[in-house]
Amino acid sequence: MDPLIATVSDVPSPDATQSPSSAAPPEPARLWAISDLHLSYKGNREELEKLEPRPNDGLIICGDVGETVEHLRQCFTTAKACFKQLWWVPGNHELFTMPSSNGRRGEDKYMECVEVAREYGVLTPEDDFVVWKGDGGPCVIAPIFTLYDYSFRPDHVTLENALEWASEENILATDEHLLHNDPYASRVEWCNTLIERAQTKLAEAVMQNLGTRLVIINHWPLREDLVNIPLVPRFVIWCGTKQTEDWHNTYNAKVVVSGHLHVRRTDWKDDTRFEEVSLGYPKQWRECQERGMDINDLLREILPGPDPPPPGQPATLWRRYGKGTTDTPAIFLKGAKP
């Protein structure tokens, strides 16, 4: 028998002067998030194994775990051992079909990822939303999947010319080769279908939970004005859709969680906090490691989370080194060809 498993008769009698209620109460459950783990990189896989147990807490995994179901399994196995509940939304990398795999494509690839998540009890955009009752709650946790429609572009650039406009600066996302839109005619059509589904589900969540705010989770930013990538500004066309710009107000969001940009930041818009929670490629967070930080320092607390800044203070907090600094933004290059 495990020596830690004792029968009642084996347990020493408590001190008669000690009140049973004097035991320390459990820590309130907190909700954390991280994205863009990119487990195709050995350094990131090794870092994932350093994840520390938070058995009372929840973790949002906000897309771009990797390109294969094996990456998902490694992530879910490790994270599930550390957290009570996991949520996952797809990024563009999960949707890739690698040339050597001859695997599932488009929507089928997405559903394959959902099937893997369900094996581990991980909640996805295809599952019912649940109410978080831990610290910072109650909140409805709302994972969604929207993709992008190339509408994050200047007004003078047409949809038909969007790729040409990006290529003028030698920018071409890997998505154009590896992210297939089967069975839809285009990624725009797939995005529009996903937008309709998400709108319906979010609206129902608001109506069924009147007065309870939402935590909306999506790999791609909901707002174009939160995309800050000066080194590759024309990569913006692969970063979301203008159709979601006011969803934080429409659907009573307390927090919106996203990744994709590899630029950690916190923004306050109206009455909503926006969190970009990327880890990124190893070279992009090497400075954090050099400062003695690891993956646990780069988890972002979503609930209860920080208070909004006082009036007159900046509404954007750059988090290059995790917790939040006033440093200039780290400019990261994601999925683009120089």
Side-chain angles (χ1 to χ4, degrees):
M1 175 181 289
D2 188 326
L4 296 180
I5 301 176
T7 64
V8 174
S9 60
D10 294 327
V11 179
S13 299
D15 188 334
T17 62
Q18 182 179 4
S19 170
S21 62
S22 64
E27 288 288 329
R30 298 190 175 202
L31 182 62
W32 305 85
I34 196 165
S35 73
D36 296 77
L37 292 168
H38 292 291
L39 296 184
S40 57
Y41 290 85
K42 180 174 181 288
N44 281 15
R45 293 195 300 273
E46 293 173 346
E47 196 64 27
L48 178 65
E49 296 305 316
K50 299 178 184 177
L51 203 60
E52 296 173 353
R54 291 178 170 86
N56 201 36
D57 294 356
L59 178 66
I60 293 164
I61 303 167
C62 204
D64 276 9
V65 169
E67 294 76 27
T68 68
V69 293
E70 288 74 19
H71 292 144
L72 284 177
R73 291 184 188 282
Q74 181 178 6
C75 175
F76 296 155
T77 298
T78 302
K80 188 70 174 178
C82 295
F83 289 87
K84 185 175 182 178
Q85 181 63 60
L86 305 180
W87 288 261
W88 166 84
V89 296
N92 50 314
H93 279 251
E94 280 96 340
L95 304 176
F96 285 178
T97 301
M98 306 308 289
S100 60
S101 70
N102 294 318
R104 294 164 70 171
R105 294 162 54 111
E107 190 172 61
D108 278 350
K109 177 64 187 294
Y110 166 59
M111 291 309 300
E112 181 180 36
C113 295
V114 170
E115 292 162 9
V116 172
R118 286 176 170 169
E119 291 176 18
Y120 291 83
V122 178
L123 297 176
T124 78
E126 303 307 309
D127 297 305
D128 293 337
F129 297 160
V130 299
V131 177
W132 172 263
K133 297 182 180 179
D135 206 356
C139 285
V140 177
I141 310 301
I144 62 172
F145 169 32
T146 63
L147 206 56
Y148 51 82
D149 61 4
Y150 307 97
S151 60
F152 283 3
R153 63 180 193 272
D155 292 340
H156 71 276
V157 177
T158 65
L159 173 61
E160 292 73 20
N161 293 330
L163 291 180
E164 180 181 354
W165 172 75
S167 68
E168 291 173 356
E169 299 290 339
N170 296 317
I171 303 300
L172 181 66
T174 308
D175 297 27
E176 296 302 319
H177 300 289
L178 300 181
L179 199 165
H180 304 284
N181 41 264
D182 312 37
Y184 301 94
S186 66
R187 295 187 194 89
V188 173
E189 181 180 315
W190 190 7
C191 175
N192 289 337
T193 299
L194 293 168
I195 290 290
E196 292 178 5
R197 292 177 184 171
Q199 285 177 312
T200 298
K201 196 169 181 180
L202 290 168
E204 290 175 352
V206 171
M207 291 302 297
Q208 293 170 4
N209 300 274
L210 293 176
T212 301
R213 303 189 69 182
L214 273 62
V215 174
I216 299 178
I217 307 162
N218 190 48
H219 179 69
W220 292 270
L222 296 192
R223 295 177 58 93
E224 185 178 7
D225 59 4
L226 299 181
V227 180
N228 187 297
I229 41 177
L231 289 184
V232 284
R234 298 192 183 190
F235 185 72
V236 69
I237 63 173
W238 292 279
C239 292
T241 168
K242 290 182 178 179
Q243 297 182 72
T244 61
E245 181 175 0
D246 201 46
W247 279 17
H248 64 293
N249 287 321
T250 303
Y251 303 114
N252 194 27
K254 182 174 183 176
V255 190
V256 175
V257 185
S258 65
H260 192 59
L261 303 180
H262 295 198
V263 181
R264 291 179 290 278
R265 60 187 284 184
T266 302
D267 293 87
W268 283 265
K269 298 283 185 181
D270 304 317
D271 193 29
T272 302
R273 172 164 44 94
F274 289 78
E275 297 280 9
E276 208 282 359
V277 298
S278 297
L279 178 66
Y281 303 132
K283 66 180 181 180
Q284 295 171 340
W285 62 281
R286 185 173 298 139
E287 288 179 281
C288 296
Q289 291 180 304
E290 291 171 351
R291 289 169 174 246
M293 305 172 73
D294 65 16
I295 190 171
N296 299 287
D297 299 297
L298 296 176
L299 295 179
R300 185 60 178 166
E301 183 182 288
I302 303 304
L303 294 175
D307 294 327
Q313 295 297 311
T316 296
L317 177 66
W318 301 103
R319 295 187 289 100
R320 184 174 181 177
Y321 302 117
K323 298 297 185 183
T325 71
T326 56
D327 296 323
T328 54
I331 306 305
F332 295 150
L333 180 66
K334 174 190 172 68
K337 294 182 177 180

